[in-house]
Amino acid sequence: MGQSERVCELCGRRESGLTKHHLIPRTRHRNKRVKKLFSRDEMTGRVLWLCRPCHHHIHRVLDEKQLALEYNTRDRLLAHPEIKQFVDWLADKPAGFKPRSSR
């Protein structure tokens, strides 16, 4: 599957230029608690390919500690009400759509 044919693993939109989201953030890989919970392969291998808006929204809503310890799977991310609401809203927008920043 070519880069232009990829689908965001959260919102399901076809997008070019998807970004790699580490479900266990790289900045947490040296943390003792994270090292006890996950193997090295899990830490490096748990990734999602996301469109820029989904990726940005995750990092706006959750900090890296929360991501590593609580929201380290696709299902857990989608269980977060604010992320689920955003993904559902974004899902029917056209490819290339970029929401206005709320900042």
Side-chain angles (χ1 to χ4, degrees), residues 37-100:
L37 292 172
F38 305 103
S39 71
R40 183 181 180 124
D41 287 343
E42 282 180 300
M43 286 191 272
T44 58
R46 282 195 187 188
V47 297
L48 292 177
W49 286 96
L50 305 178
C51 66
R52 179 66 61 195
C54 283
H55 201 166
H56 177 74
H57 189 72
I58 288 170
H59 287 286
R60 193 172 60 106
V61 172
L62 300 166
D63 65 34
E64 303 223 326
K65 184 177 181 180
Q66 290 173 301
L67 287 169
L69 300 178
E70 299 173 54
Y71 297 99
N72 50 42
T73 68
R74 178 184 181 274
D75 289 342
R76 288 182 183 170
L77 281 172
L78 289 173
H80 188 284
E82 199 172 333
I83 291 176
K84 176 73 170 136
Q85 180 182 19
F86 178 82
V87 168
D88 288 347
W89 173 80
L90 187 63
D92 65 352
K93 305 296 183 275
F97 174 81
K98 292 184 174 73
R100 291 185 190 177

Side-chain angles (χ1 to χ4, degrees), residues 13-24:
R13 296 182 313 141
R14 289 199 174 279
E15 287 283 342
S16 60
L18 294 181
T19 59
K20 188 178 189 179
H21 171 69
H22 293 88
L23 287 162
I24 303 164

